[in-house]
Amino acid sequence: MADTKKHKGDESTPSTPFMDELQGIQQEIEGLTNESLQELVEVEKKYTLLKRPKYDLRSKVIQKIPNFWLIALENHGQLSTYLTADGDRDALTYLTDLNVEDDVKSGYKVTLTFKTNPYFTDTTITKEVKFEGEGDEEVTIPPTIHWKPGKDLTAPPATKGSKREASDGSFFQVFCAEGAAIADSIREELWPNPVKYFLGENSDAEEGFEYGEEDDEEEEAEEAEEN
């Protein structure tokens, strides 16, 4: 039987009488994998279109619920960490609609719709994320907000007492900058089912609460033993 092992010091590529056959089979497998990925993209596109009327209907109902999107954002573990600027929460009380337009292959847009407010003159603010290259690298197109005098929530904090001093960026700072941190979380987590975040039923919050309870019980048990 031929020795096909690669010996120490032998830098040549291992070969067997079956290598051509093996490589041929592997190429067929990779071809089928590529075909399946393309079909999955087409299926996802189909159902994205089918869900659009439902999303529109959902938005109409949500607009009847005061502060729905603000509450959903506050109950999202990651997104809530960006609500740090002094006016973030107040500005988001004017948020009436949130929408994601998704193209599986080319990218997506996140659009925030506001009623008249004391912070900016825009009624819609859109963050666009494009997928480019073979690795689907994210390229962002940040929005431009027309702030009213003295109301720019993306400006550096004016006083040392500002909540933003210890933050990596407030909601509007991050949303209006390069990068897709907030947009990705909205698209992948909040947008598919915002109702569970509004109701505080998201699994992250539940698991975190349970974990905290267990820690408290352990600390109480240790204190009881010491006493």
Side-chain angles (χ1 to χ4, degrees), residues 5 9 54 61 64-65 85 89 100 105 114 142 166 184 197 227:
K5 292 183 179 179
K54 300 297 182 183
V61 176
K64 300 175 184 178
I65 303 173
R89 284 179 169 80
V100 176
K105 293 194 70 175
F114 293 83
D184 277 348
Y197 290 99
N227 294 333

Side-chain angles (χ1 to χ4, degrees), residues 22 32 74 78-79 100 122 128 153-154 196:
L22 183 59
L32 289 171
E74 289 178 324
Q78 180 63 31
L79 293 171
V100 176
D122 310 86
E128 184 174 0
L153 297 177
T154 65
K196 72 175 182 180

Side-chain angles (χ1 to χ4, degrees), residues 88-199:
D88 274 348
R89 284 179 169 80
D90 186 53
L92 290 169
T93 62
Y94 298 93
L95 178 63
T96 59
D97 193 23
L98 183 154
N99 183 55
V100 176
E101 298 175 67
D102 206 334
D103 186 305
V104 181
K105 293 194 70 175
S106 63
Y108 65 94
K109 296 179 181 178
V110 175
T111 299
L112 310 179
T113 300
F114 293 83
K115 57 186 175 182
T116 302
N117 64 81
Y119 292 92
F120 41 80
T121 59
D122 310 86
T123 55
T124 60
I125 300 172
T126 299
K127 179 75 169 273
E128 184 174 0
V129 181
K130 293 184 177 181
F131 302 146
E132 296 186 356
E134 294 183 0
D136 285 342
E137 179 183 354
E138 291 186 340
V139 178
T140 58
I141 302 177
T144 298
I145 299 180
H146 301 89
W147 298 98
K148 294 181 179 180
K151 294 294 186 177
D152 187 349
L153 297 177
T154 65
T159 63
K160 292 185 178 181
S162 172
K163 296 178 183 177
R164 260 187 291 170
E165 189 175 46
S167 171
D168 292 331
S170 70
F171 182 89
F172 288 97
Q173 281 179 322
V174 177
F175 192 75
C176 295
E178 296 288 345
I182 288 178
D184 277 348
S185 292
I186 289 175
R187 178 204 183 208
E188 296 171 7
E189 299 171 13
L190 184 65
W191 173 250
N193 187 358
V195 177
K196 72 175 182 180
Y197 290 99
F198 176 78
L199 297 175

Side-chain angles (χ1 to χ4, degrees), residues 196-212:
K196 72 175 182 180
Y197 290 99
F198 176 78
L199 297 175
E201 296 175 349
N202 48 304
S203 59
D204 289 346
E206 292 171 1
E207 290 172 3
F209 178 72
E210 291 173 0
Y211 180 81

